[in-house]
Amino acid sequence: MSRDARWKSLLELLVERGRLEVEEAAAELGVSAATIRRDFDQLAEQQMLVRTRGGAVVHGVSYELPLRYKTARRASEKQRIAKAVADLVAPGEAVGLTGGTTTTEVARALAVRGDLASGSPALTVVTNALNIANELAVRPQFKIVVTGGVARPQSYELIGPLADGVLGQITIDVAVLGVVAFDVTHGAAANDEAEAAINRLLCERAARVVVAADSSKLGGRAFARICPAESVDTLVTDSAAGKETVRRFEEAGIRVLTV
Amino acid sequence: MSRDARWKSLLELLVERGRLEVEEAAAELGVSAATIRRDFDQLAEQQMLVRTRGGAVVHGVSYELPLRYKTARRASEKQRIAKAVADLVAPGEAVGLTGGTTTTEVARALAVRGDLASGSPALTVVTNALNIANELAVRPQFKIVVTGGVARPQSYELIGPLADGVLGQITIDVAVLGVVAFDVTHGAAANDEAEAAINRLLCERAARVVVAADSSKLGGRAFARICPAESVDTLVTDSAAGKETVRRFEEAGIRVLTV
DNA sequence: GGCCAAATGCTTGATTCTGCTCGAAAATCA
DNA sequence: TGATTTTCGAGCAGAATCAAGCATTTGGCC
């Protein structure tokens, strides 16, 4: 197991449990305790965790936010969804991407789309997600516009009033929303109200709104509402979505793509 | 199999799996490990992936932040300079970082500064460099403010009027400039006029201005001027800087640190 | 066909990583 | 306080990986 994979696993276990012992981690990952100690020391040097005698604890008091670091769940569904979303974008358009694992996959799918390969800015991408901007920045076929703002703690999303100001100055063709819940009556929702506010603004500036959500997100609710279902034009989800669920979305006037 | 086809396959496999090992890829494509290593190196140079020992990972998901990046020229000078610059920042301050390899090292040096370890936002970092924001975003000890704007082609710097608007709303304690040339009479300069404009704005919002430049940058000129030498409070450079050069900066009222 | 440049594969010396051992320091318990 | 146990840190050897150089092959071009 490479060091990258080991570090990733260690951080995952750590945010999940809050604290991790050397021997415990060594047994779990199948490496020696000495290696784990070295890993802990190196991660501690980078302030990714705090060493304790015999183990390590998460840095600071943030016992929350496990999701960003989890190995993406439902990876293959997400990739299929991402591919389908990418195909909804025409060359030359301006597309807005919110943060999240699904939208990150959309960004990657856009990056490998052959018909965008050449031509100067074949696509304009507007995003408040640092990781997406960072991945696409060096590709010559993209023009990347970043909203600015304050990074949400331990996350890659930019939020806050600074971002609002920038978004007010642009319009886009299609907004792709990564959501934590999407329902006909409750609409699309995010975990954080500031995040939801940015996403809402992005929707308002867009001619078309696409929600990318695997089937586990459908029909649920979450704390911060982004927009009502009527604002959404297209939903892309996986084929595990129930027939009844799909029908209700379609009755609400939303085009549903299942992949 | 041609190199193009090989690169295409490698990137496809990489996007699909997230990470790829040298031997694994060599076996899969039927070429030698040396070729794969060269391919990985070349693709990494183009920022299409991130090299790790024994393999490569998708660009953007690596935790191996400061370790693999030893490839930059004058790496050790840059790291010493970066360390010294980081020590000029007091806990709780707001520091502005422009783009560039030297300032990226400053960001990494700040990340490993022990006295910032705890306390909520121990440091506020304002930057227009996507790579810096991305690296620091997950550290709980930093509050990251991104200027927004359009990514400069093939680079990580955000530029343009959108960034101006955001910078106008904030002030910072210390601005760290990465420059391509710095001279007593010609001032500090960058390669690109839009980049210089952002850097200038950052200076104007700062109480203190620090220029981080290795000795090869001193005494030269470059296309786009950022600010006159009088605007700079401190210059941090390496000990290879000529005595006469240093003296002239000091006579201009600039504090010079050589490391 | 002959030539040149680029790409590929192989070898070698150096670097890095990992696991193990041993003495020292720290924590626990009596 | 003192004894015991656990953990740490450093050093070392083996294995894996890397970088560089060199020979061979491939492919284009005249």
Side-chain angles (χ1 to χ4, degrees):
Chain A
M1 177 181 276
S2 76
R3 192 174 59 173
D4 291 338
R6 224 171 41 233
W7 285 9
K8 197 161 152 63
S9 301
L10 286 174
L11 289 172
E12 272 177 33
L13 288 171
L14 195 59
V15 291
E16 188 179 321
R17 306 181 190 175
R19 128 169 244 293
L20 203 54
E21 288 181 16
V22 172
E23 293 293 345
E24 173 190 1
E28 207 139 350
L29 299 187
V31 296
S32 79
T35 300
I36 296 292
R37 285 200 185 89
R38 277 186 281 249
D39 288 339
F40 278 175
D41 288 344
Q42 288 160 1
L43 287 169
E45 193 183 348
Q46 299 182 43
Q47 317 286 333
M48 300 298 289
L49 50 79
V50 175
R51 282 236 54 182
T52 63
R53 187 175 183 79
V57 296
V58 291
H59 187 275
V61 279
S62 54
Y63 285 89
E64 51 176 327
L65 184 55
L67 280 165
R68 308 290 161 184
Y69 285 113
K70 287 229 154 138
T71 315
R73 282 172 205 275
R74 302 174 162 261
S76 88
E77 286 97 330
K78 281 199 166 86
Q79 284 179 10
R80 285 204 312 277
I81 291 171
K83 181 76 172 54
V85 172
D87 287 338
L88 295 175
V89 179
E93 288 192 318
V95 51
L97 293 176
T98 69
T101 53
T102 309
T103 48
T104 299
E105 287 300 330
V106 172
R108 288 181 185 146
L110 285 171
V112 299
R113 256 189 63 175
D115 58 335
L116 303 174
S118 58
S120 4
L123 209 59
T124 301
V125 173
V126 180
T127 185
N128 70 319
L130 282 176
N131 60 326
I132 292 176
N134 202 51
E135 277 197 47
L136 297 183
V138 293
R139 322 264 173 153
Q141 72 266 37
F142 293 107
K143 177 178 178 181
I144 308 294
V145 180
V146 180
T147 66
V150 180
R152 196 167 152 245
Q154 307 243 41
S155 167
Y156 290 111
E157 281 131 70
L158 300 175
I159 56 177
L162 295 174
D164 296 354
V166 173
L167 277 179
Q169 298 178 48
I170 56 179
T171 63
I172 57 181
D173 294 302
V174 49
V176 178
L177 298 185
V179 303
V180 298
F182 187 37
D183 183 70
V184 173
T185 56
H186 300 100
N191 272 324
D192 182 90
E193 73 280 7
E195 195 185 326
I198 290 289
N199 294 3
R200 186 180 314 124
L201 213 45
L202 202 63
C203 286
E204 290 168 1
R205 316 298 301 177
R208 316 198 298 277
V209 175
V210 176
V211 169
D214 64 75
S215 55
S216 71
K217 312 279 179 57
L218 300 181
R221 319 162 47 170
F223 172 61
R225 169 152 149 174
I226 299 170
C227 64
E230 299 88 61
S231 304
V232 176
D233 300 296
T234 308
L235 163 65
V236 181
T237 188
D238 61 84
S239 49
K243 267 196 150 45
E244 175 61 21
T245 309
V246 170
R247 197 185 54 74
R248 273 192 292 132
F249 279 110
E250 285 174 339
E251 279 178 0
I254 298 172
R255 181 165 64 127
V256 180
L257 299 180
T258 60
V259 292
Chain B
M1 178 182 280
S2 77
R3 190 175 62 172
D4 288 347
R6 218 171 46 237
W7 284 12
K8 195 164 182 312
S9 302
L10 286 174
L11 289 174
E12 275 172 18
L13 286 172
L14 196 59
V15 170
E16 187 180 326
R17 305 183 191 176
R19 64 184 279 274
L20 204 53
E21 289 182 14
V22 172
E23 294 292 345
E24 175 190 358
E28 207 139 348
L29 299 188
V31 296
S32 79
T35 300
I36 296 293
R37 272 185 245 280
R38 275 187 284 251
D39 288 340
F40 278 175
D41 288 344
Q42 288 157 2
L43 287 169
E45 203 172 336
Q46 299 176 43
Q47 316 279 356
M48 300 299 287
L49 50 79
V50 175
R51 281 236 54 185
T52 65
R53 188 179 181 80
V57 297
V58 178
H59 184 223
V61 302
S62 176
Y63 285 108
E64 192 171 21
L65 307 175
L67 297 164
R68 192 62 200 164
Y69 271 72
K70 313 286 189 193
T71 49
R73 260 201 279 267
R74 295 175 164 269
S76 105
E77 286 97 330
K78 280 198 166 78
Q79 284 176 9
R80 284 206 312 277
I81 292 171
K83 180 78 171 53
V85 172
D87 287 339
L88 296 175
V89 179
E93 288 192 317
V95 51
L97 293 177
T98 68
T101 53
T102 309
T103 47
T104 301
E105 287 301 329
V106 172
R108 291 177 182 147
L110 285 170
V112 300
R113 258 191 61 176
D115 59 335
L116 303 174
S118 58
S120 5
L123 208 58
T124 301
V125 173
V126 181
T127 185
N128 71 320
L130 282 175
N131 61 325
I132 292 176
N134 204 52
E135 286 199 17
L136 297 184
V138 296
R139 323 284 171 132
Q141 72 269 37
F142 293 107
K143 176 178 180 181
I144 308 293
V145 180
V146 180
T147 67
V150 180
R152 195 168 150 245
Q154 307 269 44
S155 163
Y156 289 111
E157 280 131 72
L158 300 174
I159 56 177
L162 294 174
D164 298 354
V166 173
L167 277 180
Q169 299 177 48
I170 57 179
T171 62
I172 57 180
D173 293 304
V174 47
V176 178
L177 297 185
V179 302
V180 297
F182 187 37
D183 182 72
V184 174
T185 55
H186 299 100
N191 273 322
D192 182 90
E193 73 279 5
E195 193 187 326
I198 290 289
N199 294 3
R200 187 179 316 124
L201 213 46
L202 203 64
C203 286
E204 289 168 1
R205 316 298 301 177
R208 315 198 297 278
V209 174
V210 176
V211 169
D214 64 73
S215 55
S216 70
K217 311 279 180 59
L218 300 182
R221 320 161 47 168
F223 172 61
R225 170 152 149 173
I226 299 169
C227 66
E230 299 87 61
S231 303
V232 177
D233 299 297
T234 308
L235 163 66
V236 181
T237 188
D238 60 82
S239 50
K243 268 196 149 50
E244 176 60 20
T245 309
V246 170
R247 197 184 54 74
R248 272 191 293 133
F249 279 111
E250 286 176 336
E251 280 178 359
I254 299 171
R255 183 164 64 128
V256 180
L257 300 178
T258 59
V259 292

